Every structure is written in structure tokens, then in C-alpha cells.
């Protein structure tokens, strides 16, 4: 594509759309400096394509230059105020700066424009759950996602999390049936998410944790293995894998995985403690 675009630019050097396309593909190829140059050329030639401005905003945001990113996002919104993606991007930038009320307003505006815009529905869910600690309102956004797409992996993942939290808030000693039921429901929801997105790391990890709490360590280990396949340096999965092997009494394998955790994150306190404990046990043997 780039070869053809560059050939076209040689014939029509002032084609702003051609420079935008060149920048778009360069950014996709992670050639950031050249992507910025091409996109800025497109803008300098008077491009009215809001995507050129949005892409510049994205690059600047990833470079943690929020003031510049905001300027480009606003230029994109000025050219197309009915594109929810631009409003969402500005909202995420405000989240990054701790301007949560403004972020919520923008995400709600995006959803007003497109009631099926899952990305902003998901952001609203996370904001109400994490920042405002309002599970009731957050859950409403999960329900909206699933009303748009009943099998949506993110919606099913979020629903799984609700059942998972219900389980860990239930005392298995006094209410084993409710505890097990909540775990089973969580596992079902995570499984639906995984069927729709076979690379959904969070769903594999949470399902594995659910299996572990349900006393199915062998199945849990399969999910933690999958997480490590997708993200070899995922410290949570490495740690949980080590914990499973430790519960089996396989201290050497457990030690290996705990040490892998510390290679990735030397500040992982629980892994440090586990290594010390296992080395003490092995030295006594």
C-alpha cells in the first residue's frame, strides 16, 4: 500500500488525503516519526479529514504529550462532532489526567450519538465501578453492552466479574451452595467471553482463578498456562501457576515459577516471601 501511495504522492504532491493515508500506514508499521511528518503534511495542506487530526492526537497521547493530543482531538471533533470515537478518545485523555467528571460527560455524549458504542459503554462501566464505586450504575452499562450484543466478550467478562465478586463476598463455610453457584456462573460468563475472543487474557485468568476457588486446580492451571502462552511475562499468571504447583507439593516447580515472577518484577512481595519459604523448606529436607 505504501509503495502505491508514495507513487501517487510523486504525481500529486499536494494531495492531503494521500499524505494522511501514508501517515496512517506508517503509524500502523510503528514508524512514529515518519507517521507524524506525513499526518502534519496532510493537515498543513488543509485536510478536512478528521481522521488525520485524530491520528495525530492518538500518537501524541501514546507519547504522553496530553496537551498536544487534546488539541488534535478537538480539531477532529470540530470537523466531525458526531463521531463517537473522537469524543471517547478525549474522554480517555481526561481519565488519564484524573478529570473524571469531564470524562464521564464525554463518554455519555458518545453513547448519546451512538447507543451501541460499546467502547464508551465499557469506559462508563469502569468509571462507575472503580472511581465512583457505584456497582449498581456500573452494572447498568454492562447490561447495555449485552443488549447491543448478547455475546459481547467484554460484556460477558464484566458480568463474570460480578458473579466472581459475589462469590468472594460469600462465606463458603456458612453458604456453600450460594458460593459454588456464583463461581459456576462466573465460569460460564468467562467461557462465553473466551469463545468470542480466544485471546482474551483477562477472561482466561479470571476463569482460572474461579476454577481454583472451586477446588478445580487442574483446570485452573490450564487457564493460567494459556495466559502465559499469550503473555509470557504476566506476573499474576506466573504467581498463580506457582501457587498451584505448591499446593500439589511440587516445590521445585513452584520455586521456578516464583523466581520467574521476580525476574519480571523484583518488587513482587508475595513472590519474594514464597521463594524464601520454599528455600527454607528445601534446605530442611
Amino acid at each position: 500500500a505504501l509503495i502505491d501511495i508514495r507513487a501517487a504522492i510523486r504525481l500529486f504532491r499536494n494531495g492531503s488525503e494521500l499524505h494522511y493515508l501514508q501517515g496512517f500506514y506508517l503509524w500502523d508499521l510503528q514508524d512514529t516519526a515518519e507517521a507524524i511528518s506525513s499526518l502534519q503534511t496532510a493537515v498543513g495542506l488543509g485536510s478536512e479529514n478528521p481522521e488525520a487530526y485524530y491520528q495525530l492526537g492518538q500518537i501524541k497521547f501514546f507519547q504522553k504529550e496530553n496537551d498536544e493530543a487534546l488539541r488534535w482531538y478537538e480539531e477532529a471533533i470540530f470537523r466531525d462532532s458526531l463521531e463517537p470515537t473522537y469524543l471517547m478518545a478525549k474522554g480517555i485523555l481526561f481519565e488519564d489526567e484524573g478529570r473524571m467528571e469531564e470524562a464521564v460527560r464525554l463518554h455519555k455524549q458518545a453513547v448519546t450519538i451512538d447507543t451501541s458504542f460499546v467502547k464508551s459503554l465499557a469506559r462508563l462501566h469502569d468509571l462507575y465501578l472503580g472511581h465512583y464505586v457505584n456497582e449498581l450504575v456500573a452494572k447498568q452499562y454492562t447490561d447495555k453492552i449485552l443488549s447491543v450484543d448478547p455475546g459481547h466478550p467484554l460484556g460477558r467478562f464484566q458480568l463474570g466479574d460480578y458473579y466472581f465478586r459475589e462469590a468472594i463476598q460469600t462465606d463458603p463455610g456458612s453458604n456453600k451452595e450460594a458460593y459454588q453457584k456464583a463461581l459456576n456462573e462466573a465460569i460460564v460468563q468467562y467461557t462465553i467471553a473466551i469463545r468470542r475472543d480466544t485471546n482474551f487474557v483477562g477472561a482466561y485468568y479470571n476463569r482460572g482463578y474461579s476454577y481454583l476457588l472451586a477446588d478445580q486446580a487442574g483446570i485452573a492451571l490450564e487457564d493460567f498456562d494459556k495466559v502465559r502462552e499469550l503473555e509470557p511475562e504476566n506476573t499474576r499468571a506466573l504467581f498463580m501457576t506457582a501457587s498451584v504447583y505448591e499446593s500439589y507439593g511440587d516445590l521445585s516447580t513452584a520455586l521456578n515459577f516464583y523466581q520467574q515472577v521476580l525476574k519480571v518484577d523484583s518488587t513482587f512481595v508475595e513472590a519474594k516471601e514464597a521463594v524464601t519459604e520454599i528455600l527454607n523448606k528445601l534446605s530442611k529436607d
Side-chain angles (χ1 to χ4, degrees), residues 39 47 65 117-118 124 131 147 155 161 171 182 187 194 207 216 239 253-254 267 278:
L39 291 167
S47 174
E65 297 180 32
F117 191 56
V118 168
L124 287 164
H131 180 71
S147 70
D161 281 352
D171 179 8
I187 289 167
I194 288 166
R207 188 175 70 172
Q216 299 184 62
F239 183 84
T253 303
T267 66
I278 289 177

Side-chain angles (χ1 to χ4, degrees), residues 19-31:
H19 288 283
Y20 155 69
L21 287 171
Q22 180 173 248
F24 176 84
Y25 284 113
L26 287 166
W27 170 241
D28 192 52
L29 292 170
Q30 300 181 349
D31 189 342

Side-chain angles (χ1 to χ4, degrees), residues 58-76:
Q58 289 289 84
I59 293 172
K60 292 299 180 181
F61 180 68
F62 290 129
Q63 291 180 329
K64 301 187 183 303
E65 297 180 32
N66 282 13
D67 289 344
E68 276 292 290
L70 181 59
R71 179 167 75 89
W72 293 118
Y73 288 151
E74 288 177 342
E75 289 283 356

Side-chain angles (χ1 to χ4, degrees), residues 111 114-119 121-122 140-153 155-156 196:
V111 171
D114 181 356
T115 56
S116 65
F117 191 56
V118 168
K119 291 181 179 179
L121 288 171
Q140 292 172 3
Y141 287 106
T142 293
D143 293 340
K144 287 180 180 179
I145 291 172
L146 294 176
S147 70
V148 172
D149 181 355
H152 196 283
R156 289 293 173 178
R196 284 286 297 272

Side-chain angles (χ1 to χ4, degrees), residues 21-134:
L21 287 171
Q22 180 173 248
F24 176 84
Y25 284 113
L26 287 166
W27 170 241
D28 192 52
L29 292 170
Q30 300 181 349
D31 189 342
T32 304
E34 288 300 316
I36 291 173
S37 176
S38 293
L39 291 167
Q40 288 180 333
T41 298
V43 168
L45 289 169
S47 174
E48 286 299 317
N49 184 347
E51 284 291 309
Y53 298 88
Y54 168 69
Q55 290 296 336
L56 279 167
Q58 289 289 84
I59 293 172
K60 292 299 180 181
F61 180 68
F62 290 129
Q63 291 180 329
K64 301 187 183 303
E65 297 180 32
N66 282 13
D67 289 344
E68 276 292 290
L70 181 59
R71 179 167 75 89
W72 293 118
Y73 288 151
E74 288 177 342
E75 289 283 356
I77 293 168
F78 174 75
R79 285 162 178 78
D80 187 355
S81 60
L82 296 179
E83 173 50 61
T85 301
Y86 308 153
L87 296 166
M88 178 198 68
K90 186 177 176 182
I92 291 174
L93 184 149
F94 283 161
E95 287 180 48
D96 187 62
E97 296 183 342
R99 299 161 65 177
M100 301 307 183
E101 290 185 9
E102 292 171 274
V104 166
R105 177 181 58 79
L106 284 160
H107 290 309
K108 285 183 175 179
Q109 189 178 342
V111 171
T112 299
I113 292 169
D114 181 356
T115 56
S116 65
F117 191 56
V118 168
K119 291 181 179 179
S120 277
L121 288 171
R123 299 306 305 175
L124 287 164
H125 167 273
D126 291 349
L127 283 166
Y128 276 102
L129 186 64
H131 180 71
Y132 293 110
V133 197
N134 190 330

